[in-house]
Amino acid sequence: MDRQKLIIDTDPGQDDAIAIMLALASPHIDLLGIIAAAGNVSVEQTAENACKILELAKRQDIKVYKGCPRPIRRPPITAQHVHGQTGMDGPDLPTPLHTPEQQHGVTFLLETLAAHPAHTITLVTIGPMTNLAAALVQAPETVARLKQVVAMGGAWSETGNITPAAEFNAFADPDAMAIALNSGLPVTLVPLDITHRFLITPDRLEALAKLPGHCAKAAHAMLTFSARFDLNKYGWPGAPLHDPCTIGYVLCPHLFAGKTINVEVEVSSPLTLGATVVDWWQVTGRPPNATFLRSVDDNGLWTLILESLSRLS
Ligand code: BDR
Ligand code: CA
């Protein structure tokens, strides 16, 4: 299997951190760089958090680029109530020596796409889609060189997690998501319909605790921290683990199923801002613009994550 070239656009976030670790652990992924997004916390903080993960995994060779500091046309919203003050509360990780590059994340994305053969790079977005949208506004013909976009965002039958109608990444920058969905790029959405089926139960957390290595220890501390909020909120047997599902899909698409259909996002209504309108039954006649995933082999995905984290030091 050829190594897949990947750029991750992220707002760590404990679940983002596990997604990054999963990518770092895979011999099948060539991670070209990380773009920090404003989302769970400020872009300054998400960039620092990404650097912390890379330093923990001893992968300072991978560079971090700060992206846009705020959404396209709305004030920023954050999620410290879920992720803690740093956005990545749980483990006690030192201030990293590894620091973000001077180059802007959007410039990095465009220059990297221009420097590689067309349709060889996958962009994984696991935060609000602001940087992708900014790149699309700036140079759509360069962004069209992407092989695909795999995005954690949106929901259909699970409706919302930050409002009754909207998933966090969609709600934080719905205008960006609308630009991405209408760009003509091949977009795969990994929505709450998937991530609410992928729960970190006490058994899974215990299995993680038994793994050796600093990364697995940090992952365990992070998931223990983030579970405190979600277990109380949902009352489920485990807390959903969102962002690693994207990397899981890149590595093992056979673990997932969905349909290529039309998905739009609400950008005006104060009541339903960020809601994804998913034409699952294809009743609108609107052209398909996204592959919307709806089912996952959660045991298969967990096995992949556990095996992967056991390979990191
Ligand atoms: C998404 O929101 C963020 O808080 C998580 O990191 C994930 O990307 C889930 O709705
Ligand atoms: Ca995220």
Side-chain angles (χ1 to χ4, degrees):
M1 183 175 170
D2 280 348
R3 291 175 83 209
Q4 302 200 52
K5 293 184 173 55
L6 222 71
I7 295 174
I8 301 181
D9 187 304
T10 173
D11 61 338
Q14 291 88 354
D15 59 327
D16 301 72
I18 314 291
I20 294 169
M21 288 181 192
L22 184 55
L24 293 176
S26 174
H28 303 300
I29 286 180
D30 178 10
L31 186 55
L32 302 179
I34 292 181
I35 305 175
N40 286 323
V41 283
S42 73
V43 73
E44 302 292 332
Q45 183 72 62
T46 60
E48 179 175 321
N49 290 350
C51 290
K52 281 184 180 172
I53 298 301
L54 293 172
E55 200 156 290
L56 185 72
K58 302 190 184 65
R59 290 301 306 273
Q60 293 96 323
D61 55 302
I62 295 172
K63 296 185 168 32
V64 174
Y65 302 83
K66 264 186 267 176
C68 301
R70 42 155 289 185
I72 300 283
R73 76 180 170 115
R74 291 168 202 285
I77 62 150
T78 54
Q80 279 99 343
H81 63 294
V82 184
H83 300 276
Q85 279 313 303
T86 67
M88 216 169 64
D89 281 13
D92 194 10
L93 298 176
T95 305
L97 299 173
H98 191 42
T99 52
E101 301 301 297
Q102 287 304 312
Q103 189 179 42
H104 194 280
V106 173
T107 313
F108 162 72
L109 176 62
L110 293 174
E111 289 192 357
T112 308
L113 287 171
H116 285 77
H119 313 307
T120 55
I121 298 177
T122 293
L123 176 68
V124 172
T125 68
I126 50 179
M129 298 176 91
T130 316
N131 297 317
L132 172 57
L136 278 162
V137 170
Q138 202 175 314
E141 67 295 342
T142 307
V143 184
R145 295 169 69 81
L146 277 169
K147 178 180 168 194
Q148 61 171 339
V149 176
V150 179
M152 194 281 134
W156 181 42
S157 46
E158 291 296 312
T159 64
N161 62 353
I162 190 74
T163 75
E167 180 279 328
F168 178 81
N169 292 336
F171 180 74
D173 199 344
D175 304 289
M177 192 181 208
I179 291 170
L181 286 172
N182 291 304
S183 65
L185 288 168
V187 175
T188 296
L189 289 178
V190 181
L192 294 182
D193 306 61
I194 291 290
T195 68
H196 283 183
R197 306 280 168 278
F198 185 44
L199 304 182
I200 299 306
T201 56
D203 282 1
R204 288 177 176 171
L205 210 49
E206 205 181 306
L208 187 55
K210 289 187 181 140
L211 294 185
H214 300 299
C215 287
K217 297 255 169 305
H220 180 263
M222 283 189 228
L223 294 183
T224 304
F225 180 88
S226 53
R228 98 221 174 280
F229 178 83
D230 279 345
L231 289 177
N232 187 39
K233 175 177 173 183
Y234 297 106
W236 290 342
L241 184 54
H242 307 284
D243 293 339
C245 297
T246 55
I247 308 292
Y249 174 74
V250 168
L251 288 169
C252 296
H254 59 275
L255 296 177
F256 297 80
K259 263 202 236 178
T260 302
I261 48 167
N262 181 270
V263 181
E264 305 292 338
V265 56
E266 176 60 58
V267 294
S268 315
S269 156
L271 191 61
T272 58
L273 189 70
T276 41
V277 178
V278 179
D279 188 8
W280 185 259
W281 302 119
Q282 292 155 289
V283 292
T284 64
R286 291 194 285 258
N289 59 354
T291 299
F292 190 88
L293 303 181
R294 279 204 66 210
S295 58
V296 57
D297 169 355
D298 71 312
N299 285 321
L301 182 58
W302 177 245
T303 302
L304 172 73
I305 291 180
L306 209 58
E307 279 175 6
S308 302
L309 293 184
S310 73
R311 283 199 296 273
L312 291 177
S313 62

